[in-house]
Amino acid sequence: MQYQYKEYLSDFKAWKQKSHAKQWLIFPENIGKCLSIDETSLSNGELYTIVTNKAGKGRKGTIIAMVAGTKAETVIAILEKIPLKLRNSVTEITLNMAANIGLIAKKCFSNAVRVTDRFHFQKLALEALQEIRIKYR
């Protein structure tokens, strides 16, 4: 049944992103005012950089880009395939504190305010509190 769907019922053979889907996918139509960018490991330690529309809340239309790897130059080259007008419409981008992610956000979404995500902010604050606690013990 899966074979029948893929080969005959779906538009998989005519999919415009089929040739490069293992390296990257972009969905410019999903872009919004507030985005998130992060890296994740899906399987076997393979890292991917994912850009999402926060308004999508994880549902259909949330993913804007998914790029194999985390190298800034590679991700920037892919994100630059999204029209500049759309990228300039982004007002806020949430990211972690990794230098490569910051560079990607700065180069590709230059009009957006960069905001450190809550998880990494809390982690940094907790580490600082722990250092103070140990110092004054």
Side-chain angles (χ1 to χ4, degrees), residues 69-117:
T70 59
K71 191 174 179 185
E73 298 81 28
T74 304
V75 177
I76 290 168
I78 300 306
L79 291 178
E80 285 179 340
K81 295 177 184 299
I82 298 172
L84 182 61
K85 185 177 181 180
L86 285 175
R87 290 186 285 125
N88 283 341
S89 70
V90 176
T91 58
E92 178 184 296
I93 186 159
T94 303
L95 51 125
N96 61 22
M97 294 180 283
N100 62 325
I101 298 294
L103 180 61
I104 294 165
K106 183 178 178 181
K107 294 273 187 180
C108 296
F109 305 101
S110 56
N111 291 345
V113 173
R114 292 179 297 280
V115 178
T116 303
D117 67 54

Side-chain angles (χ1 to χ4, degrees), residues 109-129:
F109 305 101
S110 56
N111 291 345
V113 173
R114 292 179 297 280
V115 178
T116 303
D117 67 54
R118 183 177 62 204
F119 170 80
H120 289 91
F121 181 80
Q122 287 175 330
K123 183 180 174 191
L124 185 65
L126 184 60
E127 288 170 0
L129 273 167

Side-chain angles (χ1 to χ4, degrees), residues 28-35 53 55 64 86 89-92:
E29 65 275 13
N30 294 342
I31 209 158
K33 298 280 183 202
C34 299
L35 309 182
N53 182 343
I64 296 163
L86 285 175
S89 70
V90 176
T91 58
E92 178 184 296

Side-chain angles (χ1 to χ4, degrees), residues 15 17 25-31 63-66 82:
W15 187 33
Q17 298 198 54
L25 295 169
I26 58 171
F27 304 98
E29 65 275 13
N30 294 342
I31 209 158
I63 295 177
I64 296 163
M66 189 166 188
I82 298 172

